[in-house]
Amino acid sequence: MRRVAPSVIAREQLQALLGGGMDREGNIVSALVEVVTRLVVQELLEGEQDDHLGGRGRYQRRDEGQRGSRNGYEPGRVRTAEGMVEVAVPQVRGGEEPFRSSLMGFLNGNSEVLERLVTEMYARGLSTRDVEDAFRDATGDMLLSKSAVSQITDRLWEDYQAFISRDLSDISVEYLFVDAIFESLRRHGAKEALLVGWCIASDGRKQLLHLAVGNKESQSCWTEFFRSMLSRGMRAPTTITSDGAPGLINAITACFPASIRIRCWFHRLANLRAKLPDETAGEVMAHVYSVRDAPTLDAARAAADRLVNTYRREYPAAIACFTDDLDALLAIHRVPVRHRIRVRTTNLAERSFVEERRRTKVIPRFPDEKAALKLVFATMIRAADRWCRVSISDLERHQLTLLRAVLGLDPPPANTDHRKTNHRKDIAA
């Protein structure tokens, strides 16, 4: 067994992770959080142990008159939304006084550091009771009451209020995406919808635009959601990608009549696959993919006709599912080719929802809407900060300008040379 400090092992794990030497099958962000948390905690604890022993390093002899020696480590664990983070707590024996961490005392004297730490712990998915217990367990005394933790985490609520009231006129929304996630609220005893909107702007940046309680995915809730963004200066998007919730579709049609509505292909493919027998599903789905991946809108329509004519007698339920809202499925072929993979699903939000679930799984039921919104907002805005920019070339930007002009969203550009794009038929379709 290696006789090295636990912090050394943690640092080696961090270097291996950053260098690609560790298993990357799981969530790389979660792995980084766990390893960095362990490294920081270990270095702080070992540094305090050194100070308690008069600055003596490992295996260094005591000077005359010095007391106390290292006595190994006790296992410790910290429960977070990332899972249990295991640490090694250093022990001291024979000292003039018991070894006690001064870290919590430092934080107590620096309220800004303490509040930031509590806020981040809460945003990572710990409940107010978890945060309270974490500080009490670390010091033996209770530094923060549950009410004090709630007051500190209300800073997230202030951030959320600023977020939903900010001006959106400086964001040139190109592709809009909307979806909902449901959270359990203790007060109502049922799940409530949290409506989410995000976009890809004309400069390629992905941005979280709005988050609000919808109670349910009704047309009135979604209409209010869209009107909130429009009232803050958001321009009408070129396309809007969503699932097939009827209330949502009606709200999109009412609020953005000129924009192109796109039906999420991910949800539709799952529905189609569920209606096909295993022995022939691969063959039928290959035809479906040929529609989705067609080079042009005309080619996609031709492939869709072949699919319907070939299988409508054998698999009527699947074909009925495919043809339902077909124009919205084929609408992906009206945007530049490289962008079709970006606009055809709401997967960006789905990935954020997975991250959100990791944070909220330690809180089975929120006490009220405020608690749900501030934690979900904290999680999603932190995920949004890691979203990568989409590459948009000058040609693609010109194609989008022409498309918006054809849709009536923007005035036609001056001195337009239509020879710069070979998608005029698809744009006008």
Side-chain angles (χ1 to χ4, degrees):
M1 181 176 179
R2 297 176 64 193
R3 299 178 64 86
V4 297
S7 62
V8 174
I9 298 175
R11 184 168 295 279
E12 291 174 351
Q13 291 174 342
L14 176 60
Q15 292 173 347
L17 182 62
L18 295 176
M22 293 179 63
D23 181 16
R24 289 176 176 262
E25 291 294 327
N27 189 314
I28 185 67
V29 175
S30 298
L32 279 172
V33 169
E34 179 182 354
V35 174
V36 171
T37 299
R38 184 183 300 112
L39 175 60
V40 171
V41 171
Q42 290 297 165
E43 289 184 341
L44 287 173
L45 290 175
E46 291 167 16
E48 288 185 333
Q49 184 189 48
D50 290 344
D51 292 340
H52 183 79
L53 295 175
R56 297 201 315 272
R58 291 170 60 86
Y59 309 115
Q60 184 177 346
R61 293 180 177 275
R62 287 178 291 183
D63 294 335
E64 185 176 352
Q66 285 186 326
R67 298 183 58 186
S69 59
R70 289 174 172 79
N71 191 33
Y73 299 85
E74 289 290 336
R77 297 196 303 171
V78 178
R79 183 166 65 93
T80 72
E82 303 291 348
M84 303 302 295
V85 177
E86 298 184 359
V87 296
V89 182
Q91 304 295 302
V92 174
R93 66 180 177 182
E96 296 180 0
E97 56 185 26
F99 171 62
R100 182 174 178 176
S101 171
S102 61
L103 175 61
M104 294 302 106
F106 165 76
L107 292 175
N108 192 36
N110 295 268
S111 59
E112 290 184 2
V113 177
L114 177 61
E115 291 181 6
R116 176 63 182 272
L117 178 60
V118 170
T119 299
E120 290 304 316
M121 291 172 70
Y122 183 80
R124 286 289 178 182
L126 272 71
S127 67
T128 53
R129 183 175 297 174
D130 291 332
V131 177
E132 175 191 358
D133 290 343
F135 281 96
R136 180 174 57 235
D137 291 343
T139 63
D141 298 320
M142 187 174 68
L143 279 179
L144 295 171
S145 66
K146 185 177 180 180
S147 60
V149 174
S150 297
Q151 292 175 2
I152 292 174
T153 56
D154 276 347
R155 178 176 299 176
L156 292 173
W157 179 251
E158 296 173 3
D159 293 342
Y160 169 71
Q161 292 297 318
F163 171 78
I164 62 173
S165 60
R166 78 196 195 285
D167 183 21
L168 300 178
S169 60
D170 60 341
I171 302 176
S172 297
V173 176
E174 203 72 68
Y175 304 126
L176 178 65
F177 306 81
V178 288
D179 207 344
I181 186 172
F182 289 82
E183 289 292 351
S184 298
L185 300 183
R186 189 178 305 156
R187 186 180 65 185
H188 301 293
K191 290 191 173 183
E192 206 162 325
L194 299 180
L195 313 182
V196 185
W198 70 104
C199 77
I200 297 176
S202 59
D203 60 1
R205 289 182 299 166
K206 301 174 185 175
Q207 300 198 33
L208 185 65
L209 293 177
H210 194 34
L211 171 68
V213 170
N215 296 320
K216 55 183 179 179
E217 287 195 271
S218 65
Q219 180 178 348
S220 59
C221 289
W222 276 113
T223 299
E224 181 182 354
F225 182 87
F226 292 139
R227 286 176 177 171
S228 173
M229 293 191 291
L230 291 171
S231 67
R232 290 183 280 130
M234 187 192 81
R235 77 170 188 172
T238 307
T239 70
I240 306 171
T241 305
S242 73
D243 61 19
L248 173 54
I249 292 177
N250 292 336
I252 292 173
T253 304
C255 296
F256 304 105
S259 300
I260 299 172
R261 182 175 61 84
I262 295 175
R263 189 73 172 263
C264 177
W265 272 86
F266 177 80
H267 292 91
R268 179 52 55 86
L269 290 174
N271 293 337
L272 282 170
R273 179 61 183 84
K275 299 179 184 300
L276 295 169
D278 292 340
E279 57 271 18
T280 58
E283 175 186 340
V284 179
M285 293 304 293
H287 283 268
V288 177
Y289 289 129
S290 71
V291 177
R292 187 196 65 181
D293 300 333
T296 66
L297 181 57
D298 287 342
R301 286 174 173 161
D305 289 340
R306 287 194 299 271
L307 170 63
V308 172
N309 293 332
T310 303
Y311 295 107
R312 61 184 169 187
R313 291 185 178 180
E314 191 172 0
Y315 307 116
I319 296 304
C321 177
F322 173 74
T323 56
D324 176 42
D325 208 11
L326 181 59
D327 286 342
L329 282 174
L330 301 182
I332 61 171
H333 298 287
R334 299 182 66 181
V335 305
V337 175
R338 288 201 309 158
H339 297 177
R340 294 172 188 174
I341 193 173
R342 306 288 184 179
V343 303
R344 71 190 185 193
T345 71
T346 59
N347 280 0
L348 184 62
E350 297 291 345
R351 291 195 296 270
S352 298
F353 292 161
V354 170
E355 189 75 5
E356 186 269 344
R357 288 297 186 195
R358 292 171 58 81
R359 301 292 182 258
T360 59
K361 66 183 179 183
V362 297
I363 306 175
R365 192 180 295 276
F366 287 101
D368 51 37
E369 290 180 2
K370 180 178 178 180
L373 279 170
K374 69 181 183 181
L375 182 53
V376 174
F377 165 72
T379 302
M380 296 204 70
I381 198 66
R382 282 160 174 76
D385 288 340
R386 299 192 298 269
W387 287 345
C388 298
R389 185 187 295 258
V390 174
S391 173
I392 301 180
S393 67
D394 290 340
L395 174 60
E396 291 165 340
R397 195 168 287 109
H398 179 71
Q399 292 173 345
L400 289 171
T401 299
L402 294 178
L403 178 56
R404 291 183 64 84
V406 169
L407 296 171
L409 296 171
D410 291 334
N415 300 323
T416 299
D417 182 2
H418 292 286
R419 291 175 298 177
K420 291 184 178 180
T421 176
N422 59 0
H423 298 286
R424 291 181 60 189
K425 292 178 62 178
D426 291 351
I427 288 175

